[in-house]
Amino acid sequence: MTRTAAAFWLDAPGRGAVRPVELPVPGPEDVLVRTLFSGVSRGTETLVFRGEVPPSQHTAMRAPFQEGDFPGPVKYGYLSVGTVEEGPAALVGRTVFCLYPHQTRYVVPAAAVTEVPSSVPAGRAVLAGTVETAVNALWDAAPLIGDRITVVGGGMVGCSVAALLARFPGVDVQLVDADPGRAAVAAALGAGFALPGQARGDRDLVVHASATAAGLARALELLRPEGTVVELSWYGDRSVALPLGEAFHSRRLTVRGSQVGTVSPARSGSRTYADRLALALDLLADPALDALVTGECAFTELPDVLPRLADGELPALCHRVRYDR
């Protein structure tokens, strides 16, 4: 079998290409994976594509199997689903998820892949990394039965959080976004919807994922006294003004950061990264989450599609990349 593959490389901010790569020979503890689908994490990957990762975050933002360095040339991505062609007998022929960039085939340690449950279609499994972010956020947020919760920002992460919250008993969850088209997605996920000016207030918890200063300000406005905003947005190299005047102190509001790079302290003593990812894949058995996949292209089209995703010409939540044999 040939030991070559093709990979998408960001040559420089705003410009990428598909290039041939040589594959190493798999060792006894490795797997060779043939990619079926990968996903473009629109928030993070478009920041990378535009060259907006600040130097102070170059190390923190590295993907597990990234090659090259920011701002480029760099091979970046972390939502890959494929079939194991070589490796330990228990994995050969299995569909697996891996935090790997956009590439037709790749060799990684067997421990780096997670088997996709039979109840989850391969095309939906590309959402695992984003649902994992949502799981970690809810471990941080610790919502309670009967809570009134708003998610501000109907992107891929915000919708994933809303989808999981909609399963909590007695929870009133409302997704807030400036795009009225997100109402249909919210309905498919089992959540309510409102434009920013129509959002309900007096909320126990607000999860903010719009990556805008206006969204963060609105999140604070929607809280009840002593309520909490869990901040999930990644702003790249942009500074964000936070309104800490007015009633912020008198209402005793809290802003708490959450990020998937570490397991939430609420579960770090009892859950590993592998446990968290396996849970995310199990949760993807829900077909309602198909609403998060809003576009698809062939792998060879990626150099033309990513610029359109980055500048907003091509709107999307999760854009799925298809790998034809």
Side-chain angles (χ1 to χ4, degrees):
M1 182 178 292
T2 179
R3 295 295 177 184
T4 60
F8 176 79
W9 278 82
L10 176 63
D11 294 332
R15 187 180 76 252
V18 172
R19 305 201 179 284
V21 295
E22 293 292 327
L23 297 178
V25 176
E29 302 300 323
D30 294 335
V31 290
L32 172 65
V33 178
R34 175 175 58 84
T35 310
L36 300 172
F37 299 97
S38 63
V40 177
S41 178
R42 189 170 180 270
T44 304
E45 285 197 58
T46 56
L47 281 172
V48 171
F49 189 80
R50 293 191 298 262
E52 295 177 358
V53 179
S56 65
Q57 295 301 302
H58 282 189
T59 299
M61 279 286 293
R62 287 192 68 86
F65 294 100
Q66 174 180 324
E67 293 182 39
D69 296 298
F70 303 119
V74 63
K75 186 173 74 174
Y76 191 83
Y78 46 82
L79 302 174
S80 181
V81 177
T83 301
V84 175
E85 293 189 321
E86 297 180 24
L91 286 173
V92 172
R94 301 291 187 179
T95 301
V96 295
F97 176 86
C98 186
L99 298 169
Y100 205 86
H102 308 284
Q103 185 165 309
T104 56
R105 295 163 71 228
Y106 50 88
V107 175
V108 294
V113 303
T114 302
E115 189 171 345
V116 176
S118 59
S119 58
V120 179
R124 191 188 304 154
V126 298
L127 298 169
T130 308
V131 173
E132 183 182 15
T133 300
V135 167
N136 210 57
L138 295 183
W139 282 347
D140 280 333
L144 299 175
I145 186 170
D147 272 358
R148 299 181 296 270
I149 304 175
T150 293
V151 180
V152 175
M156 194 172 166
V157 170
C159 285
S160 296
V161 172
L164 299 190
L165 284 170
R167 304 180 184 194
F168 278 64
V171 164
D172 171 31
V173 56
Q174 185 174 62
L175 179 68
V176 173
D177 196 272
D179 180 1
R182 292 288 187 260
V185 178
L189 299 175
F193 178 80
L195 296 171
Q198 302 165 348
R200 292 194 292 270
D202 199 34
R203 311 302 274 178
D204 300 295
L205 171 69
V206 178
V207 178
H208 179 240
S210 81
T212 67
L216 180 55
R218 187 65 177 133
L220 286 168
E221 292 171 351
L222 297 176
L223 286 175
R224 64 163 172 78
E226 300 190 3
T228 297
V229 168
V230 173
E231 175 59 276
L232 278 178
S233 299
W234 169 245
Y235 298 93
D237 58 2
R238 291 175 291 143
S239 297
V240 178
L242 182 63
L244 299 181
E246 301 179 354
F248 179 82
H249 290 285
S250 63
R251 296 174 65 214
R252 300 179 61 85
L253 304 181
T254 297
V255 178
R256 180 174 186 182
S258 179
Q259 205 269 347
V260 75
T262 57
V263 175
S264 167
R267 292 292 180 272
S268 60
S270 59
R271 302 291 192 279
T272 64
Y273 290 98
D275 292 332
R276 188 178 64 185
L277 181 55
L279 172 59
L281 282 163
D282 285 339
L283 292 169
L284 280 166
D286 185 352
L289 289 162
D290 284 331
L292 302 185
V293 179
T294 55
E296 185 174 287
C297 70
F299 170 67
T300 53
E301 298 174 308
L302 200 50
D304 297 321
V305 169
L306 254 175
R308 298 170 62 200
L309 288 170
D311 65 16
E313 176 191 344
L314 192 64
L317 291 174
C318 175
H319 188 88
R320 187 165 59 200
V321 181
R322 182 184 67 254
Y323 293 73
D324 299 320
R325 181 180 282 276

